[in-house]
Amino acid sequence: MATGTAPGKVILFGEHAVVYGRPAIAVPVDGVEACATVRPGEQGSGIWLECCNLPAAEKGREGCYYPIREAPPGDPLCVVVTIGLTHMGMVTPPEPDLIITISSTIPIARGLGSGAAVATAIIRALATYLDYPLSPEETSRLVFEVEKIFHGTPSGIDNTVIAYQQPVYYVRGEPVELLKVSNPFHLVIADSGVASATREVVREVRQHWEVERVRYEALFDGIAAVVRAARESILKGEWRALGPLMNENQALLEELGVSAPALERLLTAARSAGALGAKLSGAGQGGFVIALVEEENIISVSKALERAGATQVLSTCVSSYPTSGSREEEKG
Ligand code: MEV
């Protein structure tokens, strides 16, 4: 059996502006992950998907155990499997006999990269099972193909940070920069409980940009300046400087029109409880907020966020560490 995993992610700085060619910084989130396993099926059975432990909205169709040949066209999990197998030279028919099991603890529609992580885990598990060496760059590219089908006009940052599993400084169309975090730092990550569809929010921003191009371009430039300053601070190990930059980025996101009262309530609670800075993360209008905290304040800020209505609170330590996300057990 072969296993592939992938972490969640948060955008630390630069969401939305990154779609318009500005830089952004994203980091993986430990403690939540997508996991896929591939094992041989009975001869002649074809490919079966088992996704009983996947949040409902990520499931491909009604039911949670089905052969891909019976899945409706456009079934997201089948799209991932087909893109992965085709890249690895397994053009079907004949369909290989495989059972692919998928699970995930990453909350969906909250900006934590659930879809990209599920796709990455499946592609990694298939590559390990088939002994097909797959670089993070190739993994990222394949997952980007999937993202383009389901998320409209993605910048590519989600697939990049998840496939590399390291903090990234990302500019669309440029080689990815793995960001050296000279001094690790802590984030508290809290769910507003409000679902948000990235595709819709990105579309709304584009509609506003079309009408008010000069103002939106200036806002994106403002965000880009914050992102560049944040990159410098991270490289120098001056992580406390990120707090005011997060607040500045949040103010610009509010001007873009992607914040929401439920998010701002959480941000106020986090800052009052001692967070050095806080902002929404991802598309906005719902989803998660992130707060920069001293290690000794993780618990007090988490509790304040819960009291302010957060439905789930996680924390993560941001550092540079390479991990592979694949492993092989008793391959048959
Ligand atoms: C989504 O995680 C971040 C956005 O900037 C969209 C994108 O980059 O594709 C809102």
Side-chain angles (χ1 to χ4, degrees), residues 4 15 27 29 31 45 51 57 76 82 125-126 150 156 200 243 264 281-282 286 292 304:
E15 49 274 274
V27 303
V29 173
S45 62
C51 52
T82 307
L126 285 170
F150 297 109
E200 297 310 316
E264 286 160 30
S281 177
L292 180 73

Side-chain angles (χ1 to χ4, degrees), residues 237-255:
E238 294 169 356
W239 62 268
R240 283 183 184 78
L242 300 177
L245 291 170
M246 285 167 80
N247 293 339
E248 210 179 310
N249 195 161
Q250 170 63 23
L252 291 161
L253 288 164
E254 286 171 21
E255 285 196 56

Side-chain angles (χ1 to χ4, degrees), residues 52-273:
C52 306
N53 294 326
L54 210 53
E58 293 285 14
K59 282 183 191 159
R61 48 158 258 179
E62 286 296 304
C64 58
Y65 189 53
Y66 57 97
I68 70 166
R69 64 171 83 103
E70 281 177 21
D75 175 296
L77 298 174
C78 294
V79 168
V80 176
V81 171
T82 307
I83 286 179
L85 286 178
T86 306
H87 179 82
M88 294 169 214
M90 300 281 290
V91 184
T92 59
E95 228 179 74
D97 301 318
L98 302 174
I99 300 171
I100 304 175
T101 304
I102 307 137
S103 60
S104 173
T105 56
I106 305 173
I108 53 153
R110 296 289 197 275
L112 289 199
S114 156
V118 165
T120 302
I122 293 173
I123 285 170
R124 281 185 172 150
L126 285 170
T128 305
Y129 186 83
L130 296 171
D131 273 336
Y132 188 97
L134 207 54
S135 67
E137 190 184 347
E138 274 175 291
T139 308
S140 177
R141 197 159 35 76
L142 293 173
V143 177
F144 189 50
E145 292 307 310
V146 180
E147 293 272 287
K148 278 193 286 191
I149 296 171
F150 297 109
H151 296 290
T153 54
S155 65
I157 192 167
D158 286 15
N159 46 285
T160 303
V161 63
I162 289 170
Y164 283 87
Q165 272 186 243
Q166 290 192 61
V168 297
Y169 178 83
Y170 179 84
V171 183
R172 194 176 186 160
E174 291 186 10
V176 57
E177 176 184 336
L178 302 181
L179 202 50
K180 187 168 176 319
V181 179
S182 301
N183 256 327
F185 56 90
H186 296 273
L187 296 176
V188 172
I189 305 171
D191 189 352
S192 64
V194 180
S196 146
T198 300
R199 189 189 184 108
E200 297 310 316
V201 188
V202 168
R203 186 161 52 207
E204 257 181 52
V205 170
R206 185 163 296 274
Q207 281 165 355
H208 290 297
W209 172 78
E210 273 161 5
V211 178
E212 295 182 86
R213 216 171 264 226
V214 174
R215 187 166 90 83
Y216 269 68
E217 284 293 323
L219 289 171
F220 295 147
D221 285 341
I223 292 173
V226 171
V227 177
R228 289 191 196 101
R231 175 181 172 277
E232 288 304 306
S233 299
I234 291 171
L235 292 176
K236 286 188 196 146
E238 294 169 356
W239 62 268
R240 283 183 184 78
L242 300 177
L245 291 170
M246 285 167 80
N247 293 339
E248 210 179 310
N249 195 161
Q250 170 63 23
L252 291 161
L253 288 164
E254 286 171 21
E255 285 196 56
L256 281 185
V258 297
S259 191
L263 299 174
E264 286 160 30
R265 216 173 17 252
L266 296 182
L267 298 176
T268 305
R271 291 178 190 132
S272 310

